[in-house]
Amino acid sequence: MKAVVLSHRFGEQVIETSLLNEVIVAVNECPHDPGPGKSSPVRDHILEALSKSGWSDELDVDCQSAFTITSIKGRIGLCLQTGNMSRMYADLLKLQTIYLRGLIEAAIMLLPTTEAAQSFGSNIANQERLMRELAIFERVITVPMLVVGIKGGK
């Protein structure tokens, strides 16, 4: 697989290159190409690689709910989304909430590119749609962010 990195609200200036590189390596070293039934193996591989680099397990967004983000390292929150498009919006709200609470200073959203999402299945969250919608909601979603696309191939 291959990582494709885009920035929202100067995420590239806030997120340390070393943290971004850990995410890129986790994606680039994934041996699974996108395809039907492959989202779980891709997700599992990336999460295992991130864990070995010191990224946390899930983090509760609020102690009174079951809302979580995928991981955190330092003051960078991370959401990995390989599922339905509607979950992408929940991830954005969770990251924005913990940013406004001062728990993180920036975020990484990790999700398939459009082509990879179509290989995984129908109505799967994807990088291109997220970037289009972040432009629309730039005054609402203010957390600096890097949007890392998961693309098939090496």
Side-chain angles (χ1 to χ4, degrees), residues 68-89:
T68 61
I69 63 168
T70 304
S71 187
I72 192 168
K73 186 169 183 182
R75 295 190 23 89
I76 306 302
L78 181 138
C79 283
L80 169 57
Q81 187 55 256
T82 58
N84 188 281
M85 184 71 69
S86 65
R87 300 307 308 154
M88 179 180 77
Y89 301 105

Side-chain angles (χ1 to χ4, degrees), residues 91-105:
D91 287 342
L92 285 175
L93 290 174
K94 292 183 282 186
L95 290 168
Q96 181 66 24
T97 296
I98 62 175
Y99 172 70
L100 291 174
R101 290 181 179 169
L103 298 174
I104 61 171
E105 62 186 11

Side-chain angles (χ1 to χ4, degrees), residues 30 32-33 35-48 80 82-83 120:
C30 183
H32 310 286
D33 272 331
K38 297 286 181 136
S39 64
S40 289
V42 167
R43 182 179 177 83
D44 292 346
H45 174 86
I46 291 171
L47 290 176
E48 183 178 331
L80 169 57
T82 58
F120 284 132

Side-chain angles (χ1 to χ4, degrees), residues 110-127:
L110 183 55
L111 66 173
T113 62
T114 299
E115 184 179 342
Q118 290 169 347
S119 296
F120 284 132
S122 64
N123 203 32
I124 303 297
N126 67 77
Q127 182 187 37

Side-chain angles (χ1 to χ4, degrees), residues 56-75:
S56 76
D57 290 333
E58 288 185 339
L59 173 78
D60 290 332
V61 171
D62 189 278
C63 63
Q64 309 233 341
S65 76
F67 292 144
T68 61
I69 63 168
T70 304
S71 187
I72 192 168
K73 186 169 183 182
R75 295 190 23 89

